[in-house]
Amino acid sequence: GAVVSQHPSRVICKSGTSVKIECRSLDFQATTMFWYRQFPKKSLMLMATSNEGSKATYEQGVEKDKFLINHASLTLSTLTVTSAHPEDSSFYICSAVPGLAPNYGYTFGSGTRLTVV
Amino acid sequence: AQTVTQSQPEMSVQEAETVTLSCTYDTSESNYYLFWYKQPPSRQMILVIRQEAYKQQNATENRFSVNFQKAAKSFSLKISDSQLGDTAMYFCAFMKQGAQKLVFGQGTRLTINP
């Protein structure tokens, strides 16, 4: 089945530094990937839509300069949290659509727990 | 804009019991897709079941089935013979036809007790 690999699973960084999270589709090509943020015991909040070869589309209220997204290939999207602050600490999840049929459901990565100290 | 509402923040049942999680949604679209996702303590999102709005027949996947009421805009999930491994957050999600974005409900935390 379709597998999405997300790395790292956990990261701790110092305030003011940047951290990169990778999302890879292992056995399929994904022209579109999605990045979510999830607060404890809350639902998933869509941050941005990552499009291969073009600029990402950010949801309202998401700072594009803080959350840099690069979708350089059909199997890799990266989210870089720049100048991280403690309030950026959260659980970040990516997802991708196998094939051209999003209505069959997305495949999600296992998530990254970011802690900014 | 579409909205998805899950009115039960938490539910708890005994192992082997049947439990139903509710979900309602608001849309003016006629063609769309509905999903239930499970997020166990590992935090990995897993697709449980999906339903096409144009299909009247309710989707079923082993112990999981849905009650899709299009006119009422209701999409409940029934888990039969519940197991300890069913303990998880369950999210109802909506996607309109031709779109790629999923709209999630707030989630229901389900606990299966031994």
Side-chain angles (χ1 to χ4, degrees), chain B residues 18-55:
Chain B
T18 295
V19 59
T20 299
L21 309 183
S22 65
C23 172
T24 58
Y25 57 94
D26 186 24
T27 184
S28 59
E29 303 287 331
S30 57
N31 296 317
Y32 49 88
Y33 305 91
L34 295 163
F35 307 86
W36 277 98
Y37 281 90
K38 167 185 177 180
Q39 188 180 41
S42 67
R43 307 289 297 266
Q44 174 72 59
M45 293 285 285
I46 302 166
L47 177 65
V48 175
I49 201 166
R50 59 183 287 273
Q51 173 82 40
E52 295 100 330
Y54 63 85
K55 287 187 176 180

Side-chain angles (χ1 to χ4, degrees), chain B:
Chain B
Q2 290 79 22
T3 58
V4 178
T5 302
Q6 293 177 250
S7 59
Q8 305 150 311
E10 294 188 26
M11 296 188 71
S12 177
V13 298
Q14 295 298 119
E15 192 176 8
E17 290 184 347
T18 295
V19 59
T20 299
L21 309 183
S22 65
C23 172
T24 58
Y25 57 94
D26 186 24
T27 184
S28 59
E29 303 287 331
S30 57
N31 296 317
Y32 49 88
Y33 305 91
L34 295 163
F35 307 86
W36 277 98
Y37 281 90
K38 167 185 177 180
Q39 188 180 41
S42 67
R43 307 289 297 266
Q44 174 72 59
M45 293 285 285
I46 302 166
L47 177 65
V48 175
I49 201 166
R50 59 183 287 273
Q51 173 82 40
E52 295 100 330
Y54 63 85
K55 287 187 176 180
Q56 292 185 333
Q57 185 174 5
N58 290 322
T60 299
E61 289 287 342
N62 300 313
R63 298 182 295 108
F64 299 87
S65 61
V66 298
N67 183 3
F68 174 49
Q69 301 289 328
K70 190 172 184 179
K73 297 180 181 176
S74 171
F75 183 60
S76 62
L77 173 70
K78 185 173 82 171
I79 305 175
S80 303
D81 186 26
S82 58
Q83 301 174 358
L84 298 179
D86 296 332
T87 293
M89 279 287 286
Y90 286 82
F91 294 100
C92 179
F94 171 100
M95 177 166 41
K96 69 178 183 180
Q97 188 175 28
Q100 291 183 313
K101 291 183 183 180
L102 277 171
V103 178
F104 285 96
Q106 307 92 321
T108 296
R109 181 173 300 277
L110 175 65
T111 301
I112 308 300
N113 298 308

Side-chain angles (χ1 to χ4, degrees), chain A residues 81-99:
Chain A
V81 183
T82 63
S83 186
H85 291 285
E87 57 265 31
D88 299 324
S89 298
S90 192
F91 192 70
Y92 295 87
I93 309 175
C94 69
S95 71
V97 181

Side-chain angles (χ1 to χ4, degrees), chain A residues 27-44:
Chain A
D27 49 3
F28 65 97
Q29 294 183 333
T31 56
T32 303
M33 293 185 178
F34 300 88
W35 288 96
Y36 297 86
R37 183 172 180 175
Q38 186 179 29
F39 293 100
K41 298 184 179 181
K42 297 294 184 182
S43 189
L44 281 70

